[in-house]
Amino acid sequence: MLQVKNITFSYDKNEVIKNINFSVNKGQNFAIIGESGCGKSTLLKLIYGLYDLDQGQIFWNENEVLGPKFHLIPGMPYMKYLAQDFDLMPYITVAENVGKYLSNIYSEIKQNRINELLEIVEMTEYSNVKAKFLSGGQQQRVALAKVLALEPEVLLLDEPFSQIDNFRKNSLRRKLFSYLKSKEITCLVATHDSSDSLSFADETIVLNNGNLVIKEKSIQLYKHPINKYVASLYGDVNELKLSQLVEIDGEDETILLFPHQLKITESGIFKVKVVHSFFKGSHYLIQSEANNNVIFFEHNCELKINSEVLLSHIK
């Protein structure tokens, strides 16, 4: 188990990680999400041991993670950390980068391991190409293979798919996270992409300005966001009064709804005026307006600008 116990860290006088406490079970895929500058990358670096904590402790099983004050070479040997700069050697081949830390004693075993990892990241055909000739996305895939070469107990990934084309990203994610599960490798992913959290993470934590907002199972976090900040990390969100959607007596509750949770119906009581229609492939995202508030909902076809429609809440 990875245990992060009430850690605080600052680069100068300003705290960027503030009394954060959580744990991750062995073999879990764990997502860290939040807006830019909230502390995601710093948290990964602290878990790896690249910085010394101001307060608190970090443990992997019974081993305490210690920073540069205690290690000549920062970083824990049973962990691997993939930063956003990839750390590849430009003048050696893809295969040589991936196998850099593998033993040369059994060359056939080493080559089989390199081939296995290149297949996972879909870079087999570039095995003999020097890293400097690769695109940013290709370098990122090679870097992923490289950090897996010695099969760590804990893998820390900082925006691991940020430069990879969408058509390849989905396939790569499925292969990578399936592999990590099969090997029971604990993985923490700092990401802006909600798919990394929703489709692959067992649990997710949300950071905001260095604070831990919530730790929850990923599906529950999406279905029941505790506030608009959390909901907005998954896309457009509407903040509405319940009385706008249903006829109620008593206290008027504020609710958060994603665009797919609103639908045009003849019996709807919530009237909006259409401002714009955005084609999304399988549907249109409709931007509308009501009482000077912007409301987003989904529809199966484009709607005429300035037309008025009635909306209902889909539960």
Side-chain angles (χ1 to χ4, degrees), residues 170-234:
N170 294 330
S171 172
L172 177 58
R173 277 193 287 222
R174 288 191 291 267
K175 286 185 177 181
L176 175 65
F177 290 121
S178 177
Y179 176 83
L180 296 178
K181 277 294 183 183
S182 70
K183 299 293 185 178
E184 293 192 317
I185 296 172
T186 304
C187 181
L188 283 77
V189 182
T191 181
H192 283 95
D193 192 331
S194 61
S195 295
D196 293 334
S197 169
L198 288 177
S199 300
F200 302 102
D202 302 299
E203 289 189 285
T204 296
I205 63 170
V206 177
L207 298 185
N208 186 17
N209 193 30
N211 295 291
L212 194 155
V213 177
I214 187 171
K215 172 179 180 282
E216 183 59 271
K217 290 182 178 179
S218 301
I219 189 170
Q220 294 302 318
L221 193 64
Y222 175 77
K223 287 185 174 180
H224 306 289
I226 60 170
N227 56 37
K228 190 172 183 179
Y229 173 75
V230 173
S232 67
L233 298 175
Y234 295 101

Side-chain angles (χ1 to χ4, degrees), residues 6-20 38-39 41-47 49-56 58 67-69 209-211:
N6 305 111
I7 65 169
T8 296
F9 173 78
S10 56
Y11 288 109
D12 41 43
K13 294 182 179 180
N14 297 319
E15 293 180 346
V16 293
I17 295 294
K18 305 172 184 178
N19 197 35
I20 287 181
C38 69
S41 297
T42 300
L43 179 57
L44 286 187
K45 292 174 182 177
L46 291 170
I47 293 171
L50 293 184
Y51 300 133
D52 294 301
L53 297 170
D54 295 342
Q55 296 178 24
I58 300 172
K69 289 181 181 178
N209 193 30
N211 295 291

Side-chain angles (χ1 to χ4, degrees), residues 97-108:
N97 267 287
V98 173
K100 180 180 177 182
Y101 299 113
L102 295 175
S103 172
N104 290 316
I105 296 176
Y106 302 103
S107 59
E108 185 176 348

Side-chain angles (χ1 to χ4, degrees), residues 65-80:
V65 175
L66 298 172
K69 289 181 181 178
F70 302 89
H71 294 287
L72 182 62
I73 301 176
M76 307 308 291
Y78 42 83
M79 296 184 182
K80 288 296 180 183

Side-chain angles (χ1 to χ4, degrees), residues 50 137-138 144-145 152 245:
L50 293 184
Q138 289 170 333
L144 278 168
L245 301 171

